[in-house]
Each structure stands twice: as structure tokens, then as C-alpha cells.
């Protein structure tokens, strides 16, 4: 199940940021490694919320920096 | 006084993508209009429009050449078109600022008549359906008119003045005229100026149709629908497009051996102060006179006028009368290229500036097509009916008039040296 979440998260990142799937590693930082800007990260959070039917409040979203941060957060929620 | 010349052209319109495709269609008198295909028009009174041909073929617009698919999702089509026209003009001029000083002396003046209309509509639907938390963070930057200039400045490192205007159907002419002034007064050496429009959507079509501004009697024959000065004209045909000029201070252009399409020698700006949509008063006439006076040109020196000529019953004759009063029986001829492109609203002024410069370069006046039964009053005046005409063109004028009663006239001259 957790692998499934990671895969789904990475798929969304690839689609939204238009980056190479190989770059979307667990420790990849959205801004520094994946070229996201502040608006991209807002849009990504919305996409995660939609995909996993959860809510990611702004306070929590601000702490998300890497791909692993997202996977960990969603695993706790669902 | 610092002189301002045009060294790069960019255009996309219903006649095609790029100068070559547009000029071919203009010279051969082809219409770019068709039935509306992007939404169901069952309940609409006007069902014709002018779309930019899209695809990967010659003369077709391929958005992937301008922005990545990811970037395309973040801009409304009017921004995409504006960027495409601006990029063409930059490439055509074969110029890029290199030093910090050069970048600081180069700017953008790019407008749109209505901006991201469909984006606003979509945002409205979404917020009603799903609430404020589902709104995309890209909604606002995708609809703002000045974002064309923002994106172009980032792409080319243009760090000087960055301004947009929104003067309805006069937007393009104002952008070019105002950018010219910035160079003349020394605020910049190079300005990328133009305008863009993409408003063929249900709200755009219904909105203009309810004002009785659109053609409704040619829904089955779209290529006949735009017919300026013809007795059977019944309104304009909405079109999408974008145009851009790279404007350069003359010595700057000469020093780098740039090819020069022409010089901007006059600019007229007035208001009708008459009615917010209907043309009237003396605004059009005064705009033309201002442009001539600024350049010190007499009416008998003007060879060609690219008219505003939208194919509305009232507007066409108001413009004709203004032109007739000033030019009388001089050698001037006037055509409306909107007979082929339809009315690109805010984009019209810049696209038609491109056409005017091309007419001058090729010494060929594009025709007013569908001019089968001209208004009696226009008898004896050369409106270049149905077929392009060869003529030496040294000085040419382009008119643009907009809702709000705002008027702009641009005057261009061939540069001989």
C-alpha cells in the first residue's frame, strides 16, 4: 500500500512539473531539485488532496519540502 | 528628435502563423473565417469566427514551439499568442540584449482588449462548484493582461519599461504608439510592442452579439460574413490573433545593420467623448490629423490606409467620412484587411500595423474582399475591392478605434537609406 502511495505521488509530480521521472527521488527538494515555484507547490498540494481525498492544511503544506515529506504525510492521513 | 524604426515583425491570425503565411493570404485575397467549432452555437445568433490555424504544418501555430506543455497550462491563450508574436518579432529582428545596460534599455509594451475571458469564466464555475480551495493558483496570472509583457521580459531579459494597455480595439495601435514615445523620449532604445486577443468563447460571442455588434446573416457562408463598406454588411466577425513589432531607435538599428521595415513617423490619439460603444463625434478625424501633423505630412503624401473597417453598419461609414473629409480626392487608397481576418479586437491594431508595413515593403495593397455592392457614398474612392492592387507605397497609415470612444492612428514611412 505504501509503495502504491509513493508511486501515485511521484506520478502526480511528474505530470504537474513536467520533470523526468528519474529526477523524482525520495530526497528530491521541490524547489531546488525539481524546479517548482511557490505557485507550483500550491497546485501540487491541491492535486495530492484530490488524488488521496485528504486535506493538507496550509501549516502542514509549508513544511513539505521533499518528495518523501509528501509520502510520509499522506501515509499518516489515509 | 530620436527616430523610431521597425526592425522585427511577428503575427498570428486567422490567415496563419507568421509573416509569410499572412502575406500570402492577404495578397491573394483569402478569407480566414469559418464556422465556430469550439463550442455549441445552437442558441447563438452569430456562429462565425476567425481562428488561428493550429497544427504542425506550414503556416500553422504549434504552441509547443513557444511554451512547454506545463507552461501552457498556466497561461490563457491570449498570453500564449502574445508570446508567440513577440518571439517571432525578436527572431525576425535578430537581436538579443547582452550587457546589463542593453537589457535595461529594452522594454515591452503589450496589451489585450479583454484579457483572459474564458479563464475568468472557468474560475467562476469552479468556485461555485467546488469552493475557493479548489481554485488554481495560476488563475490570476493566467488572466492578467500585463502578463504577456511579464513573460516576454523574462524570456528575453528585457529589463526596461514594462507596460500594458487595454483600450479595446485600439489596444494594438496604442501599444505601438506609446512604445514609440518611450524610445523617442529616451527611456528605452528598443521596445517590443504589440497586442493579443483570444475571446472566441460563449461569453465573448454572446456578449458582443447582444450588443448587436456581430454579423448574423452569414452563418452558413462564414467567408462572406466580413464585408466592410458593402451594403449587406451586418456586423463584425470575431477573430483571435496577435501581432508584434520590434521598435528600435534609428541609430541603434543602423549601428547593428538591422533590416528596417519602416519608420513610425506619426501617432494620433483622441477620444470621441460621444458614446461608450457607438462611434461618433470628431475623434477619428482628429486622430488622423494629429498623426499627419506630428509627422509634417500633408494628406496628398499618403499612399495607403489600412482601415479600422470592422464591417459594422455604423462604424465603417463614420471612418469613411472622416477619411474622405481629410483626404478628399487625393491619390490615397484604403482597404480593410478585416474583410479577410475578421476583427481580432485588441490584437487588430498590432496585426494591422504588421500588414501596413508589409504592404509598404511589397508595394502592394491587400484588398477589401466581399465588396460587391459598395455604399453609394464611397463611389469614386478606391477601397481596393476584392483584388490586391500594386502601388508604390512610401507612406501608409493604420487606424484603430475602440469601445469607450478611444482612437489611435499610426503613420509609417519607408526608410530609404
Amino acid at each position: 500500500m505504501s509503495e502504491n502511495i509513493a508511486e501515485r505521488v511521484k506520478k502526480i509530480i511528474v505530470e504537474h512539473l513536467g520533470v523526468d521521472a528519474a529526477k523524482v527521488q525520495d530526497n528530491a527538494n521541490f524547489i531546488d531539485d525539481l524546479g517548482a515555484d511557490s505557485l507550483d507547490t500550491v497546485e501540487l498540494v491541491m492535486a495530492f488532496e484530490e488524488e488521496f481525498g485528504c486535506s493538507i492544511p496550509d501549516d502542514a503544506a509549508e513544511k513539505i519540502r521533499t518528495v518523501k515529506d509528501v509520502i510520509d504525510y499522506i501515509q499518516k492521513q489515509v | 528628435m530620436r527616430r523610431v524604426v521597425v526592425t522585427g515583425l511577428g503575427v498570428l491570425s486567422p490567415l496563419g502563423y507568421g509573416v509569410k503565411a499572412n502575406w500570402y493570404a492577404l495578397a491573394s485575397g483569402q478569407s480566414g473565417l469559418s464556422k465556430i467549432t469550439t463550442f455549441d452555437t445552437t442558441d447563438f445568433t452569430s456562429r462565425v469566427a476567425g481562428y488561428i490555424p493550429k497544427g504542425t504544418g506550414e503556416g500553422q501555430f504549434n504552441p509547443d514551439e513557444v511554451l512547454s506543455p506545463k507552461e501552457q497550462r498556466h497561461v490563457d491563450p491570449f498570453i500564449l499568442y502574445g508570446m508567440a508574436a513577440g518571439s517571432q518579432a525578436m527572431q525576425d529582428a535578430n537581436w538579443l540584449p547582452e550587457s546589463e545596460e542593453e537589457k535595461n534599455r529594452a522594454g515591452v509594451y503589450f496589451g489585450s482588449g479583454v484579457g483572459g475571458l474564458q479563464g475568468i469564466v472557468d474560475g467562476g464555475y469552479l468556485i461555485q462548484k467546488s469552493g475557493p480551495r479548489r481554485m488554481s493558483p495560476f488563475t490570476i496570472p493566467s488572466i492578467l493582461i500585463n502578463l504577456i509583457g511579464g513573460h516576454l521580459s523574462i524570456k528575453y531579459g528585457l529589463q526596461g519599461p514594462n507596460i500594458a494597455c487595454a483600450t479595446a480595439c485600439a489596444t494594438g495601435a496604442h501599444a505601438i504608439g506609446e512604445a514609440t514615445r518611450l524610445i523617442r523620449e529616451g527611456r528605452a532604445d528598443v521596445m517590443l510592442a504589440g497586442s493579443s486577443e483570444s475571446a472566441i468563447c460563449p461569453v465573448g460571442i454572446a456578449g458582443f452579439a447582444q450588443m448587436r455588434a456581430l454579423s448574423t446573416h452569414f452563418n452558413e457562408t462564414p467567408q462572406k460574413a466580413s464585408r466592410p463598406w458593402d451594403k449587406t454588411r451586418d456586423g463584425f466577425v470575431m477573430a483571435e490573433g496577435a501581432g508584434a513589432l520590434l521598435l528600435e531607435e534609428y541609430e541603434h538599428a543602423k549601428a547593428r545593420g538591422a533590416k528596417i521595415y519602416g519608420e513610425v513617423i506619426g501617432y494620433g490619439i483622441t477620444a470621441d467623448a460621444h458614446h461608450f460603444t457607438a462611434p461618433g463625434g470628431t475623434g477619428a478625424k482628429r486622430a488622423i490629423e494629429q498623426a499627419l501633423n506630428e509627422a509634417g505630412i500633408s494628406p496628398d503624401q499618403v499612399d495607403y490606409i489600412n482601415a479600422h473597417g470592422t464591417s459594422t453598419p455604423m462604424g465603417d461609414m463614420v471612418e469613411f467620412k472622416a477619411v474622405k473629409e481629410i483626404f478628399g480626392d487625393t491619390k490615397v487608397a484604403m482597404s480593410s484587411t478585416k474583410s479577410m481576418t475578421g476583427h481580432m479586437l485588441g490584437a487588430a491594431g498590432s496585426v494591422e500595423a504588421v500588414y501596413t508595413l508589409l504592404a509598404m515593403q511589397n508595394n502592394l495593397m491587400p484588398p477589401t474582399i466581399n465588396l460587391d455592392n459598395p455604399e453609394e457614398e464611397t463611389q469614386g474612392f478606391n477601397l481596393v475591392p476584392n483584388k490586391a492592387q500594386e502601388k508604390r507605397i512610401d507612406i501608409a497609415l493604420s487606424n484603430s478605434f475602440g469601445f469607450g470612444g478611444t482612437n489611435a492612428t499610426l503613420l509609417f514611412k519607408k526608410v530609404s537609406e
Side-chain angles (χ1 to χ4, degrees):
Chain A
M1 185 64 195
S2 72
E3 199 178 78
N4 190 18
I5 287 177
E7 275 172 19
R8 284 155 71 192
V9 163
K10 288 177 181 177
K11 189 163 172 269
I12 288 171
I13 294 168
V14 168
E15 279 169 10
H16 279 263
L17 298 182
V19 290
D20 197 338
K23 285 178 82 178
V24 188
Q25 301 294 327
D26 284 358
N27 59 354
N29 182 297
F30 285 107
I31 290 168
D32 297 336
D33 301 319
L34 301 177
D37 63 21
S38 60
L39 300 184
D40 289 323
T41 56
V42 174
E43 193 183 48
L44 269 176
V45 165
M46 286 169 58
F48 296 139
E49 288 179 332
E50 195 145 309
E51 172 75 15
F52 297 101
C54 62
S55 171
I56 307 176
D58 287 352
D59 294 351
E62 277 166 25
K63 293 189 187 106
I64 292 173
R65 303 249 146 76
T66 66
V67 176
K68 188 170 181 298
D69 290 343
V70 179
I71 297 168
D72 290 348
Y73 185 88
I74 290 168
Q75 274 171 348
K76 274 187 233 150
Q77 298 290 310
V78 295
Chain B
M1 191 177 69
R2 283 158 61 91
R3 296 167 64 187
V4 179
V5 293
V6 180
T7 57
L9 304 180
V11 61
L12 45 164
S13 81
L15 302 183
Y17 181 67
V19 162
K20 202 176 148 192
N22 273 267
W23 184 248
Y24 178 79
L26 288 171
S28 49
Q30 290 174 13
S31 171
L33 306 183
S34 64
K35 290 184 184 182
I36 291 175
T37 52
T38 41
F39 57 91
D40 179 8
T41 54
T42 305
D43 296 326
F44 287 70
T45 53
S46 179
R47 298 173 204 153
V48 292
Y51 294 102
I52 296 166
K54 290 154 194 106
T56 52
E58 178 138 356
Q60 293 182 322
F61 175 47
N62 174 13
D64 295 347
E65 283 178 20
V66 180
L67 289 175
S68 71
K70 180 207 157 191
E71 290 168 320
Q72 286 174 42
R73 288 205 322 256
H74 297 163
V75 298
D76 191 272
F78 85 97
I79 295 179
L80 178 68
Y81 300 163
M83 290 192 72
S87 301
Q88 277 181 34
M90 289 296 289
Q91 281 159 21
D92 184 36
N94 194 26
W95 178 80
L96 259 186
E98 279 162 19
S99 70
E100 201 66 9
E101 172 63 10
E102 270 188 309
K103 289 178 180 175
N104 295 345
R105 300 282 303 162
V108 190
Y109 210 124
F110 228 99
S112 176
V114 295
L117 192 54
Q118 186 60 46
I120 295 170
V121 172
D122 290 345
Y125 274 130
L126 192 70
I127 205 162
Q128 281 191 8
K129 188 169 144 255
S130 309
R133 295 271 300 163
R134 303 314 302 166
M135 186 75 93
S136 163
F138 295 99
T139 303
I140 298 298
S142 76
I143 62 174
L144 293 183
I145 287 176
N146 73 305
L147 266 276
I148 306 170
H151 284 291
L152 284 169
S153 73
I154 296 162
K155 184 169 181 182
Y156 294 106
L158 309 173
Q159 299 179 166
N162 196 287
I163 315 182
C165 59
T167 47
C169 308
T171 298
H174 277 130
I176 293 163
E178 295 300 318
T180 299
R181 286 170 46 163
L182 289 170
I183 297 175
R184 279 193 183 152
E185 69 185 41
R187 300 234 182 187
D189 296 324
V190 181
M191 290 293 294
L192 182 55
S195 58
S196 178
E197 202 76 86
S198 167
I200 308 172
C201 61
V203 170
I205 295 289
F208 280 100
Q210 289 301 91
M211 298 169 72
R212 304 298 185 262
L214 299 182
S215 169
T216 57
H217 291 94
F218 297 88
N219 288 330
E220 296 307 313
T221 50
Q223 304 207 332
K224 297 276 171 201
S226 186
R227 39 198 317 114
W229 302 298
D230 188 88
K231 281 179 187 164
T232 58
R233 72 192 184 282
D234 67 337
F236 74 79
V237 178
M238 198 192 286
E240 57 179 7
L245 303 185
L246 192 75
L247 299 167
E248 216 172 325
E249 193 273 322
Y250 179 55
E251 296 299 333
H252 187 280
K254 215 167 68 170
R256 69 180 188 89
K259 88 176 161 268
I260 295 174
Y261 289 97
E263 179 177 356
V264 187
I265 57 168
Y267 173 44
I269 27 175
T270 65
D272 289 342
H274 168 75
H275 184 270
F276 56 96
T277 58
T282 59
K285 184 167 178 254
R286 287 182 293 112
I288 298 168
E289 285 170 344
Q290 252 185 42
L292 295 172
N293 291 341
E294 183 184 25
I297 293 290
S298 63
D300 61 3
Q301 289 176 275
V302 178
D303 301 297
Y304 170 66
I305 297 172
N306 187 293
H308 185 58
T310 59
S311 188
T312 60
M314 190 192 278
D316 287 5
M317 292 316 290
V318 168
E319 181 178 20
F320 179 81
K321 281 171 195 154
V323 166
K324 182 79 182 165
E325 277 176 46
I326 295 169
F327 295 92
D329 297 317
T330 64
K331 64 182 173 181
V332 82
M334 172 163 76
S335 69
S336 170
T337 45
K338 287 189 183 79
S339 60
M340 293 170 274
T341 62
H343 189 1
M344 292 167 274
L345 307 178
S350 58
V351 170
E352 286 158 18
V354 170
Y355 292 169
T356 305
L357 287 153
L358 290 174
M360 206 157 72
Q361 185 190 40
N362 292 282
N363 293 308
L364 187 80
M365 300 186 290
T368 304
I369 67 165
N370 299 319
L371 190 50
D372 302 326
N373 294 293
E375 288 280 359
E376 305 298 344
E377 255 182 274
T378 67
Q379 295 298 329
F381 195 98
N382 185 1
L383 295 172
V384 199
N386 302 317
K387 202 167 174 301
Q389 293 175 15
E390 284 182 24
K391 179 181 187 179
R392 185 182 163 86
I393 304 172
D394 291 321
I395 296 179
L397 184 148
S398 179
N399 279 333
S400 296
F401 311 132
F403 279 174
T406 180
N407 311 293
T409 295
L410 292 168
L411 190 62
F412 298 100
K413 186 175 186 241
K414 216 175 246 171
V415 174
S416 42
E417 300 122 285

